[in-house]
């Protein structure tokens, strides 16, 4: 059983020193405690996999946190962060980062050096653009960008065919490019944008937004019709093959009895 420490909801001015001495600790939850800073000693948690620091008052991520060698999940949502330090890129084992509801005006450059990151939650920040080198984050599968300040669809996303989930709710986007080539996409949410029509996506994508329901119902009807047509074609093809098989069998019988058949055909008794 992984060693877990739950401190969520307690009022803490600072993290108690003995916590950082728990070298075998794997999960640490310190959500909503009023924390404003973290001690340098936190880097002593060498086995830590999950760290929840959301709903606090952190204004920066200390370098010491960036030296946790096994961290896979980090929750920093609802703090007072304006960015991430360059040292954050050292967290090469990180798979999931939630940093929603902060004050990010720029996409943190450190994240571009973390290709193994799979889930990135950046909703409710202040982002207007995404860096052109974003596609180098080849491990990314889920990207949440709702509640930011995008006025145009971020062009780097057009080169991220590995994305499964993309959320751009509550932005200011008036038009979407054709997204049909994003073959990995499974869910695209675009609700509460001033866009006039649902985006064009592959049939495998679930859409969430204005007009999405009607579009998906029409798509389902079309796919159902195609499936029925395919089944009908298949039945006709099978029927045709069966008929050809019967004819082949009949012709072989005729070939076997060719001599007698010819004789019968000309038999005087028949005339």
């Amino acid at each position: 059983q992984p060693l877990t420490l739950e401190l969520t909801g307690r009022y803490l001015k600072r993290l108690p020193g003995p916590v950082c001495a728990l070298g075998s600790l794997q999960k640490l939850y310190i959500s909503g405690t009023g924390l404003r800073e973290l001690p340098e000693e936190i880097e002593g948690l060498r086995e830590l996999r999950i760290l929840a620091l959301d709903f606090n008052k952190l204004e920066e991520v200390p370098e010491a946190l960036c030296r946790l060698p096994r961290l896979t999940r980090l929750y920093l949502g609802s703090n007072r962060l304006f960015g991430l330090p360059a040292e954050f890129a050292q967290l090469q084992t990180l798979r999931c980062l939630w940093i929603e509801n902060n004050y990010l005006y720029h996409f943190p450059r450190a994240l571009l050096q973390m290709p193994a990151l799979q889930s990135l939650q950046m909703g409710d920040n202040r982002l207007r653009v995404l860096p052109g080198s974003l596609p180098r984050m080849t491990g990314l599968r889920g990207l949440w960008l709702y509640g930011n300040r995008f006025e145009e669809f971020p062009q780097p996303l057009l080169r991220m065919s590995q994305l499964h989930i993309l959320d751009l709710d509550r932005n200011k986007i008036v038009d979407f490019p054709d997204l049909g080539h994003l073959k990995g996409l499974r869910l695209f949410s675009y609700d509460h944008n001033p866009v006039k029509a649902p985006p064009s996506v592959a049939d495998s994508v679930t859409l969430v937004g204005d007009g999405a329901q009607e579009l998906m119902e029409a798509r389902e009807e079309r796919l159902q019709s195609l499936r029925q047509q395919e089944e009908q074609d298949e039945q006709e093809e099978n029927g045709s093959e069966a008929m050809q098989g019967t004819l082949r069998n009949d012709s072989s019988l005729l070939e076997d009895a060719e001599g007698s058949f010819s004789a019968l055909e000309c038999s005087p008794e028949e005339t």
Side-chain angles (χ1 to χ4, degrees):
Q1 188 71 17
L3 186 57
T4 301
L5 182 58
E6 178 68 76
L7 296 173
T8 292
R10 302 186 187 188
Y11 178 68
L12 299 173
K13 283 187 175 180
R14 62 181 63 84
L15 192 63
V19 171
C20 298
L22 298 171
S24 57
L25 191 64
Q26 292 189 24
K27 300 179 181 181
L28 178 56
Y29 300 93
I30 330 171
S31 306
T33 62
L35 272 182
R36 294 177 181 273
E37 58 183 9
L38 291 168
E40 287 291 312
E41 290 78 12
I42 197 168
E43 68 178 277
L45 300 176
R46 311 298 288 174
E47 296 297 323
L48 201 63
R49 265 66 167 181
I50 299 175
L51 177 57
L53 290 163
D54 42 335
F55 297 98
N56 282 298
K57 298 177 180 178
L58 299 173
E59 295 183 4
E60 59 182 23
V61 174
E63 291 181 27
L65 187 150
C66 304
R67 293 194 282 270
L68 296 174
R70 289 182 171 79
L71 200 64
T72 61
R73 293 173 174 266
L74 178 59
Y75 300 97
L76 290 167
S78 300
N79 276 282
R80 299 173 177 178
L81 302 171
F82 283 85
L84 295 172
E87 292 80 7
F88 197 85
Q90 295 172 21
L91 294 172
Q92 287 293 309
T93 55
L94 202 65
R95 299 290 176 268
C96 172
L97 173 63
W98 284 33
I99 192 168
E100 76 282 8
N101 195 27
N102 277 282
Y103 302 110
L104 302 180
Y105 285 85
H106 304 285
F107 190 91
R109 310 298 298 184
L111 299 181
L112 301 174
Q113 300 171 51
M114 303 174 72
L117 199 64
Q118 296 174 3
S119 177
L120 181 54
Q121 162 64 279
M122 301 185 77
D124 289 326
N125 275 286
R126 310 285 191 274
L127 300 173
R128 293 179 183 273
V129 295
L130 295 176
S133 48
L134 188 70
R136 73 171 63 164
M137 297 183 71
T138 52
L140 211 55
R141 297 294 179 267
L143 180 57
W144 287 264
L145 294 166
Y146 60 81
N148 277 279
R149 297 178 178 177
F150 296 106
E151 295 180 3
E152 296 180 352
F153 184 86
Q155 292 298 303
L157 295 176
L158 294 174
R159 291 180 286 124
M160 299 192 72
S161 58
Q162 82 282 7
L163 275 180
H164 292 175
I165 298 171
L166 178 58
D167 189 335
L168 280 164
D169 282 0
R170 292 191 284 110
N171 279 281
K172 300 174 182 176
I173 302 172
V174 296
D175 191 30
F176 286 105
D178 189 333
L179 306 178
H181 66 287
L182 298 180
K183 299 303 182 187
L185 203 59
R186 293 294 173 266
L187 174 66
F188 178 47
S189 189
Y190 62 94
D191 214 7
H192 301 101
N193 279 280
V195 64
K196 292 180 173 59
S200 176
V201 293
D203 287 339
S204 54
V205 182
T206 297
L207 288 172
V208 179
D210 190 31
Q213 190 64 35
E214 295 85 349
L215 185 143
M216 287 195 294
E217 285 173 1
R219 175 208 288 171
E220 186 54 39
E221 285 179 16
R222 176 168 54 81
L223 291 176
Q224 186 69 27
S225 175
L226 282 172
R227 281 193 289 266
Q228 288 173 350
Q229 186 63 49
E230 284 173 4
E231 287 173 9
Q232 189 176 332
D233 291 348
E234 195 174 325
Q235 286 171 358
E236 289 176 1
E237 193 175 314
N238 289 340
S240 174
E241 285 178 0
M243 179 64 74
Q244 288 173 3
T246 304
L247 288 173
R248 278 196 295 273
N249 290 337
D250 287 349
S251 65
S252 64
L253 287 171
L254 290 176
E255 287 165 9
D256 291 342
E258 188 174 0
S260 57
F261 183 80
S262 298
L264 283 172
E265 195 174 33
C266 302
S267 171
E269 287 82 6
E270 294 283 325
T271 54

